[in-house]
Amino acid sequence: MAFTDYYLVIKASHVGLALLSGGLFACRGVGVLLGARAPMAPLVRRGSQVIDTALLTAALLLLATLELNPFATPWLRTKLGFLLAYIVFGSLALRRAQSRAGKALAFIAALVCFATMVTVARTHEPLGVLRIFQETSLSAPAASRMQSFLQRGVAVPCLRLPRARPGEATVSSSNSTFSPLHLPTHEKTPC
Ligand code: HEM
């Protein structure tokens, strides 16, 4: 059996471990803010270390399976950056911050980093979910409807029109161009 045959199992483990790791961190963070001792108990700390090690091992296996270089892949580079920030804020939130307010702020920042990593992973885009502000995804019928609104001079607040990509079908009007739904692509498609 080739390494790539295990891709789905490894990815499912990575996602499951990521959820477990994030869930445990969230519970520990809330516990610390409430003044509980359990979040810092040796057993809980050891459990968290084991989960995080398994999560990163699964990440390395995914990189090997997909033959991806994380430093040459923009969304993975972003994810690594947020991982570092998550570790720093996480350690401030659970232990190092001196005041409760500092711990609370670091806890929120760590959760934001975690959520960003999930959206970056899901979209394969360095901007993650923020991409919707950069590019509006419209189906062709929706694009035509929007086109006729614009031609009738109806203002559409906050709508930033997407740029056409090479090779994409587009619906053009005199003053705008719409691209249909842009799905995130894998740098390498394993199956
Ligand atoms: C707390 C840290 C992390 C979280 C929360 C996380 C989350 C996720 C999630 C939710 C997915 C599934 C994306 C999908 O549905 O397609 C995923 C996939 C993946 N992650 Fe992570 N991840 C983390 C750390 C890492 C690290 C450190 C790396 C390596 C640099 C990494 C590499 C990958 C790769 C290669 C995939 C597979 C993408 C694909 O199959 O299309 N992850 N991650």
Side-chain angles (χ1 to χ4, degrees):
M1 217 182 218
F3 207 29
T4 46
D5 294 339
Y6 295 107
Y7 166 72
L8 287 178
V9 176
I10 300 169
K11 184 165 160 177
S13 314
H14 180 69
V15 174
L17 287 161
L19 294 179
L20 209 60
S21 167
L24 183 58
F25 171 73
C27 292
R28 291 180 73 200
V30 170
V32 165
L33 289 176
L34 293 176
R37 285 201 183 165
M40 299 312 282
L43 196 67
V44 178
R45 287 171 64 177
R46 186 47 56 90
S48 166
Q49 283 163 4
V50 169
I51 292 170
D52 289 347
T53 307
L55 168 64
L56 294 182
T57 307
L60 290 178
L61 289 174
L62 276 173
L63 292 180
T65 312
L66 298 171
E67 293 176 38
L68 285 173
N69 172 357
F71 301 105
T73 313
W75 69 272
L76 280 172
R77 230 174 18 224
T78 306
K79 215 172 155 187
L80 278 177
F82 277 101
L83 178 67
L84 289 182
Y86 174 62
I87 292 169
V88 171
F89 285 128
S91 124
L92 283 167
L94 295 182
R95 208 174 12 183
R96 294 189 200 283
Q98 302 297 313
S99 64
R100 223 165 93 132
K103 281 191 162 77
L105 270 180
F107 180 52
I108 291 168
L111 290 180
V112 169
C113 290
F114 186 87
T116 307
M117 275 188 284
V118 173
T119 62
V120 167
R122 292 287 299 151
T123 57
H124 290 189
E125 289 287 342
L127 280 177
V129 83
L130 292 180
R131 193 190 156 91
I132 58 174
F133 295 112
Q134 191 200 31
E135 183 162 318
T136 311
S137 301
L138 293 173
S139 64
S144 311
R145 276 198 300 279
M146 195 65 77
Q147 185 185 23
S148 69
F149 275 131
L150 286 171
Q151 277 167 351
R152 279 186 268 145
V154 177
V156 184
C158 305
L159 177 73
R160 288 193 51 192
L161 299 175
R163 287 184 299 276
R165 288 159 182 274
E168 259 188 352
T170 56
V171 182
S172 305
S173 74
S174 52
N175 56 0
S176 60
T177 305
F178 297 102
S179 342
L181 185 69
H182 171 65
L183 294 171
T185 49
H186 288 69
E187 282 73 13
K188 288 201 171 204
T189 311
C191 7

